[in-house]
Amino acid sequence: MSNYASTKSRVAAVSVLASASMAAAKFAIGIAIGSLALISEALHSSIDLIATIITWFVVRVSDRPADDVHHYGHGKIESLSALGVIALLYVLAGGILVEAVTRLREGAPPPAFSLLAFAVLGVDIVVNLWRAWALHRTAVATKSQALAADALHFASDVLGSFAVIGGLSLSAMGFAWGDAGAAIGVAVMISILGLRLGRSTIQTLLDRAPEGVSEKAREVIGAVPGVVGIERLRARMVGPTHFIDALVEVPRTYPIDRIDEIKRRTDDALKLAFEDADLTFTAIPVARDNETVRERIMVIARNSGLAVHHVTVHDLGCKITVSIDLEVDGNMPLIEAHDIAHELERHIRDDFGTDVEVDTHIEPLEPEMPHGADASPARVEEISGALIKLASDGVIHHIHNVRVRDTEAGEIVNFHCYAEPSLSVIAVHEHVDEIERRLRRAFPTVKRVISHAEPPNAD
């Protein structure tokens, strides 16, 4: 059992003992002196006793976790129990009103004066104030609707006890109607209590959004990095848990793992804000206002499950031109590869308009894990020496970490080099590309050259 459930059960158990003792004392004295007001208050306390016993069992069930049948947990059983208590309260209020009106009409004799009745009512006021405070504090801490209903009952008992004291005092002063009038006052307070409790309980059962929760949840979710907007948000309470269902707009250019990170951060932020939030997060990919043409094309290719690279875009004023390198299976017949390229170009035109000019370069897709082995040290030394000579212009220098691997398709060469930090990426790329081209001309067996340029003293 959770700490919250243990706390709620302990408070409810103490409340049961207190309710039973006070109800019995008021009922016995009310019968003895013939006071309808005191008997009514005893019956009210008896209803509270029944409600507290129900609460004792309900809080044990409401804290059970969700299961295959109750996907949102068992929290709403607290609302159902509160409705049952409300029904008992109204039955009791109706009975008291009927009996009080009958006594007034028939002129029933006033109750006998007894200091013991006042003493019991005084103790009852103190006990009910303590119970109302303890239950209210626990209900707020655990967000228990059942305990909140119990706290409201005992707070109303205090008012009821004062009403009975007033009625007995009036009767003692010779006002025969004082006791029946106090009983009517108890019935009215019970009715008002039931109305107040019923309103909040019915709102919970009807899944009315808790006050301020939607606004606060929107604020929390909107502050999570990567969230573009919130298309829809729904919130409801089940027991103490805030269930929040959100359709969240995220950039369509983000990969799945980045979106999953946004979801995790959103969940953590809501739990920090509400402590007991249960989030259903649905990501809606959207295009941002600052999305570039290249990003849009990459999204189109990704949605088609295609591998593209070297996407270039030129704005000619009246139209834009797009060039794409499309990778397909090297063993695929050209007719099939051309159909794939044509379909990609059609998707791009659908997105940008029919006047966009698209050229697709088809090339074989590199195998994911080609078989190969490290070349001999002599071969590595030979290619390293050639790279050093090819970088004699000084722009690219300090060739190092040279690796050569033999694969079924040919040799693959990797190397690192230094370049001046102030050079632009374009300038460095052009010089490195020239070295790569000259190396392949010098060594026809080299299929691919992969370079990594970095500034000196880089980490």
Side-chain angles (χ1 to χ4, degrees):
M1 182 182 293
S2 67
N3 290 335
Y4 275 174
S6 177
T7 301
K8 289 192 289 186
S9 295
R10 185 171 60 254
V11 172
V14 173
S15 190
V16 166
L17 295 176
S19 294
S21 302
M22 297 311 303
K26 287 187 287 186
F27 192 77
I29 296 174
I31 292 292
I33 66 175
S35 170
L36 174 62
L38 194 53
I39 293 173
S40 299
E41 185 58 23
L43 292 174
H44 184 196
S45 296
S46 299
I47 295 295
D48 287 343
L49 173 61
I50 295 172
T52 305
I53 293 173
I54 293 173
T55 301
W56 195 7
F57 287 103
V58 162
V59 294
R60 292 172 176 269
V61 176
S62 66
D63 279 279
R64 291 178 184 173
D67 53 35
D68 292 339
V69 179
H70 306 90
H71 296 177
Y72 292 93
H74 301 74
K76 283 199 173 179
I77 192 172
E78 293 195 10
S79 300
L80 291 175
S81 71
L83 282 181
V85 171
I86 292 169
L88 290 175
L89 288 174
Y90 275 108
V91 169
L92 174 61
I96 293 173
L97 283 173
V98 170
E99 181 62 23
V101 170
T102 300
R103 288 198 176 197
L104 287 173
R105 183 182 300 158
E106 295 177 355
F113 179 78
S114 172
L115 289 175
L116 184 60
F118 287 93
V120 168
L121 287 169
V123 173
D124 186 58
I125 289 173
V126 173
V127 171
N128 283 331
L129 283 174
W130 175 83
R131 285 191 298 173
W133 172 78
L135 285 168
H136 177 73
R137 186 179 63 174
T138 306
V140 170
T142 61
K143 297 182 177 64
S144 170
Q145 196 170 37
L147 288 184
D150 240 5
L152 196 58
H153 290 163
F154 296 131
S156 71
D157 279 351
V158 173
L159 297 177
S161 295
F162 277 117
V164 175
I165 289 175
L168 292 177
S169 299
L170 288 171
S171 296
M173 289 185 291
F175 297 96
W177 51 266
D179 184 60
I184 293 174
V186 170
V188 171
M189 282 186 287
I190 291 174
S191 300
I192 295 173
L193 167 68
L195 181 63
R196 180 178 174 184
L197 180 59
R199 184 186 298 112
S200 62
T201 301
I202 291 172
Q203 287 176 351
T204 299
L205 289 173
L206 293 177
D207 287 331
R208 185 179 185 273
E211 189 70 28
V213 169
S214 296
E215 294 77 8
K216 186 176 181 180
R218 282 184 175 274
E219 180 181 347
V220 170
I221 296 173
V224 175
V227 172
V228 176
I230 301 171
E231 183 174 308
R232 188 190 72 198
L233 187 142
R234 295 174 177 171
R236 64 171 175 163
M237 290 286 291
V238 178
T241 304
H242 296 82
F243 284 89
I244 298 172
D245 182 354
L247 296 182
V248 182
E249 296 175 346
V250 297
R252 64 175 183 169
T253 55
Y254 280 8
I256 294 176
D257 57 346
R258 180 78 177 275
I259 294 175
D260 189 64
E261 175 68 11
I262 293 174
K263 176 182 178 181
R264 185 189 64 77
R265 289 188 177 184
T266 302
D267 190 57
D268 291 344
L270 286 173
K271 281 185 169 63
L272 186 63
F274 296 105
E275 296 183 359
D276 51 6
D278 189 304
L279 172 66
T280 299
F281 182 101
T282 303
I284 307 296
V286 296
R288 292 177 294 179
D289 294 338
N290 62 346
E291 190 174 278
T292 66
V293 174
R294 185 177 288 105
E295 287 176 329
R296 291 169 63 183
I297 292 173
M298 295 299 290
V299 168
I300 294 170
R302 185 181 65 201
N303 291 342
S304 300
L306 300 176
V308 300
H309 65 277
H310 200 198
V311 177
T312 59
V313 181
H314 294 94
D315 187 356
L316 302 182
C318 59
K319 66 178 179 179
I320 61 172
T321 65
V322 178
S323 299
I324 306 171
D325 285 358
L326 170 65
E327 299 181 25
V328 298
D329 185 352
N331 297 317
M332 178 183 293
L334 178 59
I335 183 64
E336 294 182 18
H338 180 268
D339 288 342
I340 293 174
H342 181 73
E343 186 69 10
L344 174 60
E345 293 171 1
R346 186 180 66 81
H347 287 316
I348 293 173
R349 291 191 181 95
D350 287 343
D351 193 273
F352 289 94
T354 56
D355 58 342
V356 65
E357 184 180 297
V358 186
D359 290 308
T360 306
H361 170 66
I362 301 173
E363 60 180 50
L365 181 67
E366 292 288 339
E368 185 175 350
M369 296 181 65
H371 296 289
D374 289 334
S376 65
R379 183 60 170 172
V380 174
E381 184 67 27
E382 181 182 9
I383 290 181
S384 295
L387 284 169
I388 292 172
K389 291 179 180 179
L390 291 172
S392 58
D393 61 0
V395 177
I396 303 299
H397 58 93
H398 192 63
I399 304 293
H400 60 285
N401 196 17
V402 178
R403 288 147 291 155
V404 182
R405 295 179 176 88
D406 292 320
T407 70
E408 297 173 349
E411 291 176 307
I412 296 178
V413 177
N414 297 74
F415 71 91
H416 287 208
C417 61
Y418 286 165
E420 290 302 317
S422 59
L423 286 175
S424 67
V425 173
I426 293 177
V428 173
H429 185 265
E430 289 175 349
H431 282 85
V432 171
D433 265 3
E434 179 60 25
I435 293 174
E436 293 174 357
R437 286 192 293 269
R438 293 167 65 184
L439 182 68
R440 285 198 299 269
R441 285 197 297 267
F443 296 89
T445 55
V446 173
K447 179 181 184 296
R448 189 176 181 193
V449 182
I450 304 167
S451 62
H452 174 75
E454 58 191 8
N457 302 320
D459 293 335

